[in-house]
Amino acid sequence: MHKRILIAYDGSQASRYALDECLMFNPRDSEIHIVAVIHDLAVYTLAGEYVPALAFDQDAKSAEKDLEAAQWYLAAHSLPARTHAVTGEPVEVIARLVKELGIDLLIVGHKREQSFAARWWKGSTGIGLMDKVHCSILIARGEAADKANK
């Protein structure tokens, strides 16, 4: 049984599948954490010009709302969870949080909306995490079940 679970959450359908995967474990005795990553300030530069802090603040508020929604969703299933809004590059900050919290299961959502070539060229947060964390990783892929039910 996993004692400490971390769910990477960004409000997308894929990350909602990650919440559902967590529920399937029925982790009543587990410590559950949910993380939302707000991209590093470097992302908010455009052609060498700094985009006002307004854009960063808006993303931070959106992440907080997403975390609150995820926390309420799990609470509705009698699973309390702690939330973490962190700033930085997703792979690095999630890997750091996994280590700091002693996580033994990381759950991430995965969407397959892009072609294989686009995913390969862009890279993958999930693939990057596999090299950085020393715990089990569950990749939630709910879209296959959705398509089968249609």
Side-chain angles (χ1 to χ4, degrees):
M1 175 142 148
H2 301 287
K3 293 293 181 192
R4 290 188 183 96
I5 299 170
L6 177 63
I7 303 166
Y9 192 78
D10 65 3
S12 68
Q13 184 63 43
S15 65
R16 286 191 289 277
Y17 292 138
L19 293 175
D20 290 334
E21 287 288 342
C22 182
L23 291 174
M24 284 196 258
F25 281 106
N26 194 23
R28 301 278 181 238
D29 297 326
S30 298
E31 182 180 303
I32 301 171
H33 298 264
I34 309 167
V35 61
V37 179
I38 304 147
H39 284 278
D40 207 337
L41 289 174
V43 172
Y44 298 92
T45 59
L46 182 62
E49 294 293 321
Y50 179 70
V51 177
L54 182 63
F56 177 80
D57 291 343
Q58 186 175 5
D59 283 354
K61 286 178 185 173
S62 178
E64 289 290 345
K65 286 172 76 174
D66 289 340
L67 283 173
E68 185 177 312
Q71 188 177 37
W72 277 101
Y73 181 74
L74 292 180
H77 292 87
S78 303
L79 291 176
R82 290 180 46 207
T83 61
H84 308 269
V86 293
T87 302
E89 194 281 319
V91 170
E92 297 301 322
V93 296
I94 291 172
R96 185 179 69 235
L97 200 56
V98 163
K99 186 175 180 179
E100 288 173 3
L101 297 173
I103 298 297
D104 52 11
L105 176 64
L106 171 62
I107 305 176
V108 298
H110 176 70
K111 55 186 170 203
R112 294 195 57 140
E113 296 170 358
Q114 298 175 322
S115 69
F116 170 77
R119 287 193 314 273
W120 176 81
W121 181 256
K122 228 176 117 176
S124 164
T125 300
I127 297 294
L129 285 167
M130 288 172 49
D131 291 335
K132 295 277 186 179
V133 301
H134 300 288
C135 69
S136 296
I137 301 174
L138 187 148
I139 301 172
R141 294 185 49 199
E143 78 278 356
D146 288 348
K147 289 177 184 174
N149 291 330
K150 289 184 181 180

